[in-house]
């Protein structure tokens, strides 16, 4: 951003980067709460807060700097970009408190109620992989935050146009965090209990905002599609609980990022179908592969039509049994899949 020659434009760009970064940094908080109520109406649809309106970085700059200027004129708050506040991307990345959530007063449905399946530094690498993906025969961005700064140096700061690369990443960060909050499970703590939830933020009035099921209103039972998606996502997570190398999450985010269209919302059945197919690929093309296993990156970003075909015969069954023996199990997800009645039967029949 420091390479932008015009001073005011440079300050505005740095300000937008900082605002988006700070809004996304708290993984337990819904992204809408990172902005003022006025900004939420512009970014996530007026009297709704559940849609995603920005088309690009310039839209973000228009909304956030306009809001800041209005607040500054009203003396309601200082405007960081006019006060020459804000930090560049590399300065932010070198901050030792990257994953430390500031203890600020939250609104209802705030971060004290939810827990995320991933921390912010590793989430950044998922976003970076989405916007700088390479050929399917490479691993591109490793999903390990020990390489965070090196990867940003390589794939953002050393690009031919680093300003455009930072702008592209900033927009993708906001979009991906919105999709994460809408379509990925959180651990919810309420009424002295905790459980997995798949919920979205919904605006009813200026005095009433709450979290409701993403896809349906069926809060109980196991047949509602919201519950079915939740169960599959939770099985993915408990089989890979670490923050690093969460390939299942990268696959889900890739699908959401590439298929999201405000005018044609992602359907619950299509999302569930993708997750079921991803589960089957992970099990049969990797964990129980008869020969050389397929890389996660190829299964997520590559051409699925060229993946090795599974030939189910007696030799294949014997091989599967050998890989299910103690000491040979690559991932316990192979035992989780049959537990899901809507996935297991179809998958294991193969």
């Amino acid at each position: 951003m420091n390479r932008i020659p015009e001073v005011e434009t440079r300050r505005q760009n740095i300000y937008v980067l900082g605002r988006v970064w700070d809004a996304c940094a708290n993984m337990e908080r819904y992204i809408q709460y990172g902005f003022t109520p006025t900004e939420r109406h512009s970014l996530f649809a007026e009297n709704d807060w559940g849609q995603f309106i920005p088309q690009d970085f310039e839209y973000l700059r228009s909304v956030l700097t306009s809001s800041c200027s209005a607040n500054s004129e009203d003396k309601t708050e200082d405007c960081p970009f006019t006060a020459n506040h804000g930090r560049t991307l590399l300065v932010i990345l070198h901050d030792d408190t990257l994953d430390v959530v500031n203890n600020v007063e939250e609104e209802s449905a705030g971060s004290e109620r939810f827990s995320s399946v991933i921390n912010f530094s590793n989430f950044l690498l998922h976003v970076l992989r989405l916007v700088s993906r390479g050929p399917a025969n490479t691993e591109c961005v490793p999903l390990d935050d020990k390489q965070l700064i090196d990867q940003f140096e390589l794939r953002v700061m050393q690009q031919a146009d680093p300003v455009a690369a930072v702008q592209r990443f900033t927009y993708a960060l906001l979009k991906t965090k919105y999709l994460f909050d809408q379509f990925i499970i959180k651990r919810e703590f309420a009424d002295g209990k905790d459980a997995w939830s798949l919920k979205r933020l919904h605006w009813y009035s200026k005095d009433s905002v709450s979290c409701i099921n993403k896809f349906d209103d069926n809060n109980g039972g196991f047949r509602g599609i919201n519950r079915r998606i939740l169960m599959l996502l939770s099985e993915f997570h408990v089989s890979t609980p670490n923050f690093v190398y969460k390939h299942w999450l990268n696959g889900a985010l890739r699908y959401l990022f590439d298929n999201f269209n405000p005018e044609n919302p992602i359907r619950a059945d299509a999302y569930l179908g993708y997750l079921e197919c991803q589960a089957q690929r992970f099990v049969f093309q990797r964990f129980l592969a008869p020969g050389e296993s397929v890389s996660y990156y190829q299964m997520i970003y590559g051409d699925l039509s060229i993946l090795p075909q599974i030939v189910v015969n007696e030799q294949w069954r014997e091989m599967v049994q050998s890989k299910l023996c103690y000491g040979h199990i690559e991932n316990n997800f192979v035992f989780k899949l049959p537990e899901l009645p809507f996935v297991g039967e179809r998958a294991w029949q193969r």
Side-chain angles (χ1 to χ4, degrees):
M1 294 296 192
N2 280 334
R3 300 190 184 187
I4 300 175
E6 205 278 312
V7 175
E8 187 69 9
T9 301
R10 180 169 66 249
R11 289 176 177 175
Q12 290 182 5
N13 276 257
I14 292 175
Y15 171 70
V16 173
L17 167 63
R19 286 294 311 278
V20 170
W21 190 281
D22 290 342
C24 297
N26 188 338
M27 295 300 297
E28 281 81 31
R29 179 182 65 183
Y30 279 86
I31 185 64
Q32 291 88 338
Y33 286 121
F35 301 96
T36 67
T38 299
E39 291 167 344
R40 295 170 201 167
H41 288 298
S42 298
L43 296 173
F44 306 107
E46 183 147 4
N47 299 339
D48 187 309
W49 294 7
Q51 303 179 46
F52 188 78
I53 304 302
Q55 302 89 17
D56 50 32
F57 181 86
E58 283 305 309
Y59 182 92
L60 294 177
R61 186 159 74 98
S62 174
V63 169
L64 297 179
T65 57
S66 296
S67 173
C68 181
S69 298
N71 289 333
S72 184
E73 291 173 2
D74 294 338
K75 307 300 182 183
T76 55
E77 64 179 44
D78 292 331
C79 187
F81 78 79
T82 58
N84 198 26
H85 294 170
R87 301 181 297 171
T88 62
L89 180 58
L90 280 182
V91 172
I92 297 174
L93 286 169
H94 280 88
D95 192 336
D96 292 335
T97 62
L98 189 64
D99 283 317
V100 177
V101 177
N102 292 327
N103 292 321
V104 297
E105 184 177 351
E106 296 285 349
E107 302 175 62
S108 61
S111 60
E112 75 283 352
R113 178 176 167 183
F114 296 99
S115 177
S116 173
V117 297
I118 194 170
N119 64 356
F120 184 53
S121 57
N122 279 288
F123 180 73
L124 290 171
L125 288 168
H126 284 265
V127 180
L128 187 60
R129 178 181 272 203
L130 290 172
V131 298
S132 60
R133 64 188 74 173
N137 60 349
T138 68
E139 283 299 320
C140 194
V141 178
L143 301 176
D144 184 349
D145 60 351
K146 292 184 179 64
Q147 303 187 47
L148 182 67
I149 294 176
D150 291 341
Q151 288 299 317
F152 269 88
E153 285 272 15
L154 174 65
R155 303 182 187 281
V156 177
M157 310 314 299
Q158 295 179 14
Q159 296 300 300
D161 188 350
V163 172
V166 172
Q167 292 175 337
R168 184 167 57 251
F169 175 80
T170 303
Y171 173 76
L173 176 59
L174 181 64
K175 176 182 175 180
T176 309
K177 181 58 165 67
Y178 163 83
L179 294 171
F180 179 89
D181 288 343
Q182 293 274 311
F183 295 95
I184 303 298
I185 55 171
K186 288 180 170 64
R187 196 70 179 174
E188 182 177 7
F189 302 86
D191 301 325
K193 302 177 181 178
D194 67 286
W196 293 113
S197 69
L198 182 59
K199 294 184 175 181
R200 59 185 173 90
L201 197 67
H202 183 69
W203 183 95
Y204 293 99
S205 71
K206 66 178 182 178
D207 299 318
S208 178
V209 179
S210 67
C211 297
I212 61 175
N213 278 355
K214 171 59 185 175
F215 291 113
D216 59 41
D217 298 325
N218 182 13
N219 290 315
F222 292 85
R223 304 314 304 175
I225 197 163
N226 200 81
R227 178 71 179 183
R228 294 164 64 188
I229 294 173
L230 179 153
M231 288 177 63
L232 185 47
L233 289 172
S234 65
E235 295 292 6
F236 272 127
H237 173 66
V238 297
S239 66
T240 313
N242 296 331
F243 289 151
V244 298
Y245 297 110
K246 295 184 87 70
H247 295 287
W248 70 264
L249 177 60
N250 192 244
L253 291 176
R254 199 283 308 163
Y255 172 82
L256 296 167
F257 192 90
D258 289 355
N259 290 279
F260 175 76
N261 182 345
E263 298 179 358
N264 187 21
I266 291 175
R267 300 193 330 270
D269 60 336
Y271 183 38
L272 176 60
Y274 172 81
L275 293 174
E276 288 181 348
C277 290
Q278 175 175 279
Q280 294 177 20
R281 286 195 298 273
F282 282 15
V283 170
F284 296 108
Q285 299 284 358
R286 188 171 180 88
F287 307 147
L288 300 179
E292 182 178 356
S293 61
V294 179
S295 72
Y296 288 108
Y297 195 85
Q298 184 176 353
M299 288 189 286
I300 294 170
Y301 293 95
D303 182 356
L304 300 181
S305 66
I306 65 174
L307 293 179
Q309 294 297 310
I310 301 297
V311 178
V312 179
N313 52 31
E314 190 60 32
Q315 182 180 2
W316 178 84
R317 292 186 179 90
E318 292 177 358
M319 180 280 304
V320 168
Q321 290 178 350
S322 69
K323 290 197 172 189
L324 293 176
C325 295
Y326 180 78
H328 298 276
I329 301 169
E330 180 176 344
N331 190 293
N332 63 10
F333 188 72
V334 298
F335 296 116
K336 298 295 183 181
L337 192 64
E339 295 175 6
L340 303 176
F342 50 90
V343 177
E345 182 178 355
R346 292 198 295 274
W348 287 94
Q349 280 178 351
R350 294 179 53 188

